[in-house]
Amino acid sequence: MTVAPVHLILGEEDFIGERIRRAILDELRADAPDLELTVMRANEVSGPELIDATSPSLFGEDRAVIITHTEVAGKEPNELLLATCRDVAPGITIIIHHTGGGRQKSMVAKYRKLAQVHEANPLKPKDRTGWVTNEFRSHGVRPTPDVIHALLEGVGSDLRELASAVSQLVADTDGEVTVETVRSYYEGVAEVSGFDIADLAVNGQTARAVASCRRALQLGMHPVALATALSMKVAGIARLYSTRTTNYNALAGQVGMSPWIAEKTAKVARRWTGDNVSRAVILMAELDAEVKGQGGDPEFAIEHAVRRVSELAG
């Protein structure tokens, strides 16, 4: 199987971008199980670091290099990256994330000429019904329109949470999802408890986070619900960790959060480093697959993820 040496994930929808990235990595790992993975933030990339990351491995393993936040990097890092993409060494795959906007919007056209482009644009409201329908069908379930409506009404528009909800509903009902099931499920308080655990984790309170996670699992909380809460917290931190504004009303409008959530998230996010944010985002993509039965024990996977996120926060 041949995978393009350079990929451009273009758009502002984080969840779609993560899925695209995971699909590319899965393709690579099908032929190279020992794939070496490096994640770099574009505005922190230097020439020597980029050369080292994109040089063939001394041990012969294939390498994948993920470059994030390209839209906010300066001209020099982008030019370095472009030069690297023009002459990619054998066994190296470069995956570039760019929202399509930012001060380096003009670079998109240049990257397009060198890369296989994958669109990751936010869904329009009119497209959400079709997206959720296809999500159910990917699990072998053909939902009725009233089920789709009930799920959108109960969960909202966040694609990550919708995907996790679909996965959990299908698993819990063996595919027999009804309106009553959806409404009953979202009348509970599991999400609140899950977000409490996620709050402890992103604040670096490892012992309390892990103990609370174990207790929640013992009481029957599904790993997918916990994974959804943790992923949403990490995604919020990824969006806000570099912000320094105290105008939380304006910030809330920019990132689609309520002002108090934006303020709370921003204050926590500022304590995170860029490297650790990138590691946490990758961890969430891997966790999403694990809790959906694509490898290992889901309960072990979520406990490990809670511990690891908490350690990264610390």
Side-chain angles (χ1 to χ4, degrees), residues 174-195:
D174 292 325
E176 299 297 325
V177 184
T178 65
V179 173
E180 291 71 26
T181 304
V182 175
R183 288 177 178 166
S184 173
Y185 190 85
Y186 286 98
E187 285 173 359
V189 296
E191 294 77 26
V192 177
S193 179
F195 281 112

Side-chain angles (χ1 to χ4, degrees), residues 240 264 294:
L240 298 181
K264 178 181 177 182
Q294 297 180 27

Side-chain angles (χ1 to χ4, degrees), residues 37 42 55 77 81 95 119 127 139 166 179 196 213 228 249 255 276 281:
L37 181 63
S55 297
L81 184 55
I95 304 172
E119 302 289 345
D127 296 328
H139 292 276
V166 169
V179 173
D196 290 342
C213 177
T228 297
N249 287 324
V255 299
N276 284 356
V281 168

Side-chain angles (χ1 to χ4, degrees), residues 15-284:
F15 181 64
I16 293 176
E18 287 173 16
R19 278 197 165 177
I20 294 168
R21 180 181 62 211
R22 187 165 64 246
I24 296 168
L25 294 177
D26 286 346
E27 276 193 82
L28 291 170
R29 286 174 175 143
D31 292 328
D34 296 324
L35 181 73
E36 185 178 327
L37 181 63
T38 302
V39 181
M40 309 177 77
R41 188 180 172 95
N43 62 348
E44 298 172 357
V45 169
S46 67
E49 289 174 331
L50 192 57
I51 290 171
D52 182 63
T54 58
S55 297
S57 168
L58 293 175
F59 302 100
E61 294 97 343
D62 286 357
R63 287 181 162 186
V65 181
I66 297 172
I67 309 292
T68 67
H69 298 85
T70 314
E71 69 282 350
V72 297
K75 184 177 180 181
E76 184 177 348
N78 272 281
E79 292 292 352
L80 281 171
L81 184 55
L82 279 167
T84 303
C85 291
R86 292 188 183 102
D87 186 22
V88 182
I92 306 296
T93 302
I94 301 173
I95 304 172
I96 301 164
H97 287 250
H98 197 300
T99 63
R103 57 181 174 174
Q104 296 303 325
K105 183 177 181 180
S106 61
M107 289 290 183
V108 171
K110 297 180 181 180
Y111 285 121
R112 280 184 177 274
K113 295 177 181 178
L114 301 171
Q116 180 177 337
V117 180
H118 309 267
E119 302 289 345
N121 297 312
L123 286 186
K124 296 177 181 178
K126 66 182 179 65
D127 296 328
R128 288 176 191 149
T129 297
W131 190 88
V132 174
T133 300
N134 289 333
E135 194 70 18
F136 271 110
R137 287 179 176 172
S138 72
H139 292 276
V141 175
R142 300 181 69 87
T144 57
D146 55 349
V147 165
I148 300 297
H149 177 76
L151 188 62
L152 287 168
E153 187 177 70
V155 176
S157 61
D158 185 271
L159 299 188
R160 187 187 308 278
E161 190 170 356
L162 284 167
S164 293
V166 169
S167 176
Q168 185 167 353
L169 284 165
V170 171
D172 288 351
T173 64
D174 292 325
E176 299 297 325
V177 184
T178 65
V179 173
E180 291 71 26
T181 304
V182 175
R183 288 177 178 166
S184 173
Y185 190 85
Y186 286 98
E187 285 173 359
V189 296
E191 294 77 26
V192 177
S193 179
F195 281 112
D196 290 342
I197 295 166
D199 270 333
L200 291 170
V202 299
N203 278 282
Q205 299 185 48
T206 306
R208 290 183 62 195
V210 172
S212 297
C213 177
R214 289 176 180 170
R215 180 59 177 161
L217 292 170
Q218 290 170 356
L219 293 174
M221 186 182 295
H222 199 287
V224 172
L226 281 167
T228 297
L230 189 60
S231 293
M232 290 181 69
K233 289 290 182 182
V234 169
I237 286 170
R239 287 198 294 270
L240 298 181
Y241 89 92
S242 61
T243 62
R244 292 296 178 265
T245 182
T246 56
N247 185 349
Y248 297 110
N249 287 324
L251 181 62
Q254 294 170 11
V255 299
M257 298 178 179
S258 63
W260 73 271
I261 291 179
E263 179 178 359
K264 178 181 177 182
T265 304
K267 288 179 178 178
V268 173
R270 287 169 193 155
R271 300 198 295 268
W272 283 66
T273 66
D275 285 344
N276 284 356
V277 168
S278 296
R279 292 187 181 100
V281 168
I282 295 293
L283 178 65
M284 292 303 96

